[in-house]
Amino acid sequence: MTTTTDTDRTPDVLAYDELLAAITDPAGREILDPATGEVVGRAPERTAEDLDRAVGRARVAQPGWAAVPDAERCALLLRAADAVEASAGALAELLSREQGKPVQQGPNALFEVGGAVAWLRATASLPLEPETLFDDETGTATLTYDPIGVVGAIGPWNWPVMITVWQIAPALRMGNTVVVKPSEHTPLSVLGLVHVLGRVLPEDVLTVVPGGREVGEALSKHPGVDKLMFTGSTATGQAIMRAAADGLTRLTLELGGNDAGIVLPDADPEAIAEGLFWGAFINTGQTCAALKRLYVHEDRYDAVCEALTAVVARMPMGRGLEEHNVLGPLQNRAQYEIVAELVEQARAGGGRVLVGGDPDESAPGHFYPATLVADLDDDNPLVTQEQFGPALPIVKYSDVDEAVAMANRLDVGLGASVWSADPEKAREVAARLQAGTVWINKHGAVDPRMPFGGIKRSGFGVEFGVEGLKALGVPKVIAS
Ligand code: NAD
């Protein structure tokens, strides 16, 4: 396999129309803007047979890619990062039109494309040296990681560009080839991303096969796939695990969550209100590791409700292309209906709506206003089910042990957070929470240096950091 590692070459800058023309298929399926209902573009629809051919080509390309020295693969990932950065404007506009998130303000479309760039660079920079397990009078043993082979990457619609990079960057770094199946809700932004990356990477090392769940099913049971990276719902994760059983296909499953946040009695409501807002409402709440239920000590309850309501009330929601907006629509109607139904159940269960909860049904787009519901019992469906949208339930507690028990009682455990003016006290509580990551005075702040993954029904395996790289390799010990 020949590769170019000319890191000095300036990457091409793609304009929006040029990018869209390169990836759309005039005979494809219409993808609608969730803010307006307008057609964004037409996505090609591939079949299980197309997938089969893509996996075949990826298998043929894999040994050549694995033979490229690690340093050269890293250089290509850095060039890939430069290429994405150069076309960030076009990618962010496409992402905003298709997914709904605002382009400019807050952690939205440009932030997501910037995250993709940052993760490509970070993945290329992680150290992974052979590890000497022992070297003494009894002998020597060394641990290294071989490529796994062909990796299948199946993704969701909430952060399609960044999550695709999370799946593919470590896979490529470790010498695997990758076949991506994007969500049927957001195929265009992933097609755009892979188009940009494809201008840098060798042929067939990275392929995207857009299509419905049947293409995902075909990928998850394909005998030519050696590892599946899946990010999506717990139910689909279970289906994928069943499908992968026959081939003993390795799995990393990043599934749903229902992250708890606990505000301790010493927290300063004004100081934490903005952090709580972003923790819960980032990407209009459509984030796996968003704050999805908030437990507040009775001493701070009214003040936290008031401070958070003030922040929510000043955050503009609207079409992502309008520069001032911070929150966008829900990406699809099904998710809108889930959020609306859960808020109705919260109201029926005695919840007090502090702000929001009154969508304008006659307006175009899947806009559900940012909503806070206080005074809820811990068994209300808005608390126990994943809303995956802009509606945060707030539960009052009087005893920290009780709050920890409520936070831990669900069968998911992706993230959690503790909010306090006392870092030591916060760490003590954090240590008792059942989640893959516990943040203090922030929520959902993922970092390419920190392994990220869930426990319980939030899945298993980690992404990011050296641990995340190792998950895309097979350990090999050489002992003498
Ligand atoms: P989903 O499970 O409905 O779909 C995800 C992907 O799986 C799509 O590409 C879909 O086509 C594919 N798919 C569907 N059925 C399949 C099957 N039987 N076999 C193989 N593939 C199949 O999830 P979604 O609605 O797109 O995403 C929302 C969910 O994802 C939420 O629960 C959220 O918490 C979770 N999520 C988790 C993380 C994380 O890192 N843990 C990140 C983002 C989203």
Side-chain angles (χ1 to χ4, degrees), residues 154-159 163 166 181-185 211-220 230-237 239-240 243 253-257 286-289 292 332 335 386 388 414 452-454 458 463:
I154 304 176
W157 46 259
N158 56 344
W159 294 88
I163 288 176
W166 290 354
K181 204 305 270 179
S183 167
E184 50 276 40
H185 293 293
R213 63 162 33 216
E214 65 293 345
V215 176
E217 280 168 8
L219 187 58
S220 61
F230 173 70
T231 300
S233 64
T234 298
T236 305
I240 287 177
L253 297 179
E254 298 284 1
L255 309 178
Q286 304 161 107
T287 298
C288 52
K292 291 175 180 154
N332 54 75
Q335 199 59 48
E386 185 187 31
F388 214 61
L414 192 54
F452 172 71
S458 291
E463 296 179 286

XYZ file of all heavy atoms in Angstrom, residues 154-159 163 166 181-185 211-220 230-237 239-240 243 253-257 286-289 292 332 335 386 388 414 452-454 458 463, ligand 1:
446
model
N -21.116 1.556 13.900
C -22.539 1.898 13.755
C -22.841 3.044 14.710
O -22.551 2.959 15.906
C -23.437 0.681 14.086
C -23.054 -0.519 13.211
C -24.911 1.027 13.920
C -23.817 -1.802 13.536
N -23.414 4.129 14.174
C -23.544 5.335 15.002
C -24.947 5.898 15.089
O -25.838 5.521 14.320
N -25.155 6.837 16.046
C -26.451 7.485 16.253
C -26.556 8.837 15.542
O -25.653 9.216 14.797
C -26.464 7.669 17.772
C -25.040 7.992 18.092
C -24.183 7.283 17.065
N -27.621 9.568 15.838
C -27.909 10.804 15.104
C -27.640 12.065 15.924
O -27.899 13.160 15.446
C -29.361 10.817 14.632
C -30.372 10.410 15.676
C -30.969 9.180 15.778
C -30.906 11.192 16.756
N -31.827 9.153 16.862
C -31.814 10.378 17.479
C -30.710 12.511 17.192
C -32.515 10.824 18.604
C -31.394 12.954 18.313
C -32.288 12.124 18.998
N -27.166 11.942 17.144
C -27.070 13.136 17.988
C -25.772 13.928 17.778
O -25.785 15.139 17.687
C -27.276 12.772 19.459
C -26.322 11.715 19.940
O -25.683 11.013 19.147
N -26.196 11.581 21.239
N -24.644 13.203 17.735
C -23.326 13.827 17.466
C -22.674 12.994 16.352
O -21.643 12.349 16.571
C -22.441 13.785 18.719
C -22.911 14.604 19.879
C -23.755 14.209 20.868
C -22.551 15.962 20.190
N -23.941 15.241 21.770
C -23.207 16.320 21.379
C -21.720 16.905 19.568
C -23.081 17.584 21.968
C -21.586 18.155 20.160
C -22.262 18.491 21.347
N -18.925 11.393 16.940
C -18.958 9.988 17.362
C -18.339 9.089 16.287
O -17.643 8.117 16.605
C -20.390 9.566 17.750
C -20.761 10.244 19.086
C -20.515 8.043 17.859
C -22.171 10.020 19.571
N -14.760 9.261 16.885
C -14.404 8.487 18.080
C -14.253 7.000 17.736
O -13.413 6.314 18.314
C -15.489 8.617 19.154
C -15.582 9.970 19.781
C -14.751 11.042 19.582
C -16.569 10.402 20.717
N -15.173 12.104 20.348
C -16.279 11.744 21.055
C -17.687 9.787 21.311
C -17.056 12.476 21.953
C -18.452 10.514 22.209
C -18.139 11.848 22.526
N -21.527 2.556 9.285
C -22.968 2.611 8.971
C -23.554 3.759 9.798
O -23.779 3.635 10.990
C -23.626 1.278 9.368
C -24.903 0.951 8.633
C -25.999 1.980 8.676
C -26.941 1.791 9.848
N -28.012 2.823 9.893
N -23.810 4.909 9.144
C -24.342 6.047 9.903
C -25.824 5.884 10.208
O -26.511 5.072 9.584
C -24.123 7.224 8.948
C -24.131 6.629 7.584
C -23.638 5.205 7.709
N -26.300 6.688 11.156
C -27.741 6.680 11.438
C -28.513 7.094 10.192
O -28.093 8.000 9.459
C -28.050 7.658 12.571
O -29.441 7.880 12.647
N -29.662 6.482 9.980
C -30.510 6.853 8.845
C -31.047 8.279 8.989
O -31.488 8.889 8.030
C -31.665 5.860 8.666
C -32.485 5.545 9.909
C -31.859 4.455 10.792
O -30.622 4.444 10.968
O -32.621 3.627 11.312
N -30.982 8.843 10.216
C -31.458 10.217 10.424
C -30.409 11.251 10.008
O -30.761 12.378 9.669
C -31.796 10.449 11.903
C -32.972 9.655 12.374
N -34.247 9.875 11.921
C -33.068 8.625 13.251
C -35.085 9.040 12.509
N -34.389 8.254 13.316
N -27.605 3.608 5.047
C -28.797 2.780 4.852
C -29.535 2.655 6.161
O -29.146 3.241 7.180
N -30.598 1.868 6.142
C -31.440 1.710 7.316
C -30.902 0.664 8.275
O -29.767 0.203 8.150
N -31.787 0.260 9.215
C -31.348 -0.681 10.246
C -30.932 -2.026 9.653
O -30.094 -2.722 10.216
C -32.424 -0.861 11.309
C -33.713 -1.477 10.777
C -34.584 -2.036 11.879
N -34.487 -1.280 13.112
C -34.533 -1.830 14.314
N -34.655 -3.114 14.436
N -34.480 -1.098 15.393
N -31.487 -2.364 8.454
C -31.123 -3.659 7.857
C -29.643 -3.680 7.466
O -29.005 -4.727 7.511
C -32.052 -4.029 6.688
C -32.017 -3.152 5.443
C -32.553 -1.731 5.642
O -33.224 -1.456 6.647
O -32.262 -0.889 4.764
N -29.110 -2.511 7.120
C -27.674 -2.451 6.806
C -26.866 -2.610 8.112
O -25.847 -3.305 8.144
C -27.313 -1.138 6.072
C -25.815 -1.038 5.831
C -28.054 -1.063 4.744
N -27.387 -2.021 9.191
C -26.739 -2.198 10.499
C -26.775 -3.663 10.924
O -25.774 -4.213 11.417
N -27.927 -4.300 10.700
C -28.043 -5.726 11.059
C -27.056 -6.564 10.261
O -26.383 -7.445 10.797
C -29.472 -6.214 10.777
C -30.451 -5.833 11.866
C -31.913 -6.056 11.462
O -32.165 -6.645 10.388
O -32.775 -5.610 12.213
N -26.971 -6.255 8.963
C -26.056 -7.019 8.096
C -24.611 -6.840 8.562
O -23.820 -7.790 8.571
C -26.214 -6.570 6.645
N -24.274 -5.616 8.976
C -22.902 -5.360 9.446
C -22.630 -6.110 10.755
O -21.550 -6.690 10.945
C -22.714 -3.840 9.639
C -21.311 -3.327 9.964
C -20.302 -3.727 8.894
C -21.323 -1.804 10.119
N -23.642 -6.141 11.635
C -23.392 -6.730 12.959
C -23.284 -8.255 12.905
O -22.732 -8.848 13.829
C -24.457 -6.285 13.957
O -25.732 -6.696 13.550
N -20.220 0.216 18.524
C -21.611 0.652 18.421
C -21.904 1.751 19.429
O -21.595 1.614 20.617
C -22.580 -0.513 18.657
C -24.016 -0.041 18.711
C -24.654 0.413 17.567
C -24.716 -0.009 19.917
C -25.959 0.893 17.615
C -26.028 0.463 19.975
C -26.645 0.910 18.820
N -22.531 2.814 18.966
C -23.055 3.854 19.852
C -24.516 4.064 19.490
O -24.840 4.370 18.336
C -22.275 5.169 19.686
O -20.907 4.919 20.022
C -22.804 6.229 20.621
N -25.380 3.876 20.464
C -26.811 4.033 20.223
C -27.586 3.542 21.425
O -27.065 3.510 22.545
N -28.807 3.119 21.196
C -29.689 2.762 22.312
C -29.337 1.392 22.897
O -28.733 0.542 22.234
C -31.135 2.759 21.830
O -31.300 1.757 20.858
N -29.755 1.182 24.132
C -29.503 -0.096 24.799
C -30.189 -1.238 24.044
O -29.596 -2.309 23.863
C -29.987 -0.021 26.258
O -29.222 1.007 26.918
C -29.787 -1.332 26.992
N -31.417 -1.011 23.568
C -32.151 -2.080 22.867
C -31.389 -2.518 21.611
O -31.248 -3.722 21.344
C -33.552 -1.595 22.507
N -30.885 -1.557 20.850
C -30.128 -1.924 19.641
C -28.816 -2.599 20.027
O -28.383 -3.555 19.380
C -29.873 -0.677 18.764
O -31.123 -0.065 18.481
C -29.195 -1.045 17.469
N -28.196 -2.135 21.097
C -26.957 -2.771 21.577
C -27.184 -4.242 21.894
O -26.345 -5.096 21.581
N -29.490 -6.148 20.530
C -29.693 -6.857 19.249
C -28.345 -7.121 18.583
O -28.097 -8.203 18.035
C -30.600 -6.032 18.334
N -27.461 -6.145 18.661
C -26.136 -6.289 18.040
C -25.342 -7.377 18.762
O -24.655 -8.196 18.137
C -25.422 -4.926 18.031
C -26.076 -4.038 16.975
C -23.919 -5.085 17.785
C -25.543 -2.644 16.894
N -26.535 -10.646 17.547
C -26.092 -10.910 16.171
C -24.607 -11.245 16.119
O -24.161 -12.020 15.281
C -26.394 -9.692 15.297
N -19.687 -1.367 23.269
C -21.074 -0.896 23.240
C -21.202 0.363 24.103
O -21.034 0.305 25.322
C -22.021 -1.980 23.761
C -22.087 -3.288 22.969
C -23.048 -4.275 23.635
C -22.526 -3.038 21.523
N -21.456 1.491 23.451
C -21.717 2.767 24.152
C -23.215 3.014 24.041
O -23.705 3.418 22.986
C -20.943 3.909 23.481
C -19.442 3.760 23.506
C -18.828 4.060 24.867
O -19.581 4.379 25.812
O -17.606 3.955 24.991
N -23.939 2.769 25.124
C -25.403 2.738 25.021
C -26.055 3.894 25.766
O -25.408 4.872 26.096
C -25.902 1.381 25.528
C -25.191 0.167 24.894
C -25.706 -1.137 25.471
C -25.325 0.170 23.375
N -27.320 3.772 26.013
C -28.070 4.861 26.628
C -27.654 5.124 28.064
O -26.984 4.312 28.708
N -28.060 6.269 28.559
C -27.762 6.620 29.947
C -28.925 7.369 30.564
O -29.899 7.713 29.876
N -29.916 16.144 23.650
C -29.755 14.897 22.880
C -28.303 14.421 22.972
O -27.570 14.391 21.984
C -30.154 15.133 21.427
C -31.557 15.683 21.279
C -31.776 16.339 19.932
O -32.466 15.793 19.091
N -31.195 17.482 19.717
N -27.896 14.078 24.158
C -26.511 13.694 24.410
C -26.511 12.517 25.365
O -27.236 12.530 26.368
C -25.746 14.895 25.020
O -25.761 15.968 24.060
C -24.323 14.545 25.367
N -25.715 11.499 25.035
C -25.725 10.283 25.856
C -25.366 10.596 27.296
O -26.060 10.205 28.220
C -24.781 9.247 25.266
S -23.137 9.873 24.968
N -24.271 11.334 27.491
C -23.827 11.634 28.850
C -24.246 13.041 29.252
O -23.448 13.821 29.745
C -22.321 11.456 28.970
N -29.419 14.087 33.218
C -30.816 13.778 32.872
C -31.747 13.739 34.071
O -32.964 13.603 33.909
C -30.867 12.463 32.091
C -30.244 12.635 30.711
C -30.126 11.397 29.893
C -29.478 11.754 28.558
N -28.779 10.653 27.942
N -35.663 14.569 15.366
C -36.731 13.852 14.654
C -38.017 13.860 15.485
O -37.994 14.105 16.689
C -36.282 12.432 14.295
C -35.790 11.668 15.498
O -36.580 11.227 16.328
N -34.470 11.551 15.649
N -38.427 11.532 18.632
C -37.792 11.998 19.865
C -38.599 13.126 20.494
O -38.747 13.192 21.713
C -36.355 12.449 19.563
C -35.479 12.525 20.793
C -35.365 11.191 21.521
O -35.115 10.173 20.910
N -35.599 11.198 22.819
N -34.955 7.609 30.000
C -34.054 8.547 29.324
C -34.870 9.447 28.404
O -35.442 8.971 27.421
C -33.012 7.764 28.496
C -31.978 8.671 27.880
C -31.041 7.947 26.917
O -31.464 6.975 26.263
O -29.881 8.374 26.806
N -33.660 12.114 26.617
C -32.856 12.437 25.428
C -33.397 13.694 24.736
O -33.591 13.737 23.528
C -32.840 11.245 24.469
C -31.537 11.094 23.728
C -30.353 10.870 24.392
C -31.493 11.156 22.332
C -29.151 10.733 23.713
C -30.299 11.025 21.635
C -29.128 10.807 22.339
N -23.815 5.630 32.810
C -22.830 6.196 31.881
C -22.012 7.275 32.610
O -20.853 7.083 32.910
C -23.567 6.753 30.662
C -22.718 7.138 29.453
C -21.833 5.991 29.006
C -23.610 7.589 28.297
N -13.628 6.622 28.289
C -15.049 6.927 28.476
C -15.861 5.685 28.134
O -15.673 5.081 27.077
C -15.426 8.094 27.552
C -16.897 8.396 27.493
C -17.548 8.962 28.578
C -17.637 8.115 26.352
C -18.909 9.250 28.533
C -18.988 8.399 26.285
C -19.626 8.963 27.380
N -16.763 5.314 29.015
C -17.624 4.165 28.745
C -18.606 3.992 29.875
O -18.518 4.666 30.902
N -19.534 3.079 29.685
C -20.593 2.909 30.671
C -20.479 1.614 31.440
O -19.689 0.727 31.105
N -25.571 0.617 30.322
C -24.999 1.663 29.457
C -23.882 1.104 28.585
O -23.274 1.850 27.811
C -24.468 2.832 30.304
O -25.536 3.520 30.903
N -13.840 4.028 25.146
C -13.238 4.764 24.043
C -12.324 5.818 24.671
O -12.499 6.189 25.835
C -14.337 5.433 23.209
C -15.267 4.432 22.539
C -16.371 5.110 21.734
O -17.309 5.639 22.355
O -16.280 5.110 20.496
P -30.469 3.559 17.799
O -30.034 2.431 18.631
O -31.898 3.657 17.426
O -29.670 3.600 16.411
C -28.255 3.645 16.369
C -27.777 2.994 15.090
O -28.056 1.600 15.108
C -28.395 3.531 13.819
O -27.355 3.678 12.869
C -29.358 2.437 13.397
O -29.591 2.355 12.017
C -28.625 1.200 13.862
N -29.479 0.035 14.106
C -30.786 0.005 14.458
N -31.175 -1.268 14.665
C -30.100 -2.052 14.435
C -29.863 -3.458 14.528
N -30.816 -4.294 14.876
N -28.626 -3.908 14.256
C -27.626 -3.058 13.927
N -27.796 -1.716 13.827
C -29.018 -1.229 14.082
O -29.983 4.855 18.600
P -30.265 6.384 18.278
O -31.718 6.652 18.498
O -29.652 6.757 16.977
O -29.410 7.119 19.413
C -29.951 7.475 20.640
C -29.445 6.561 21.729
O -28.036 6.430 21.663
C -29.732 7.072 23.131
O -30.153 6.025 23.961
C -28.386 7.573 23.607
O -28.235 7.602 25.008
C -27.454 6.623 22.946
N -26.125 7.220 22.796
C -25.100 6.727 23.537
C -23.843 7.300 23.444
C -22.692 6.785 24.273
O -21.560 7.168 24.005
N -22.921 5.937 25.237
C -23.633 8.355 22.562
C -24.691 8.827 21.813
C -25.942 8.240 21.924
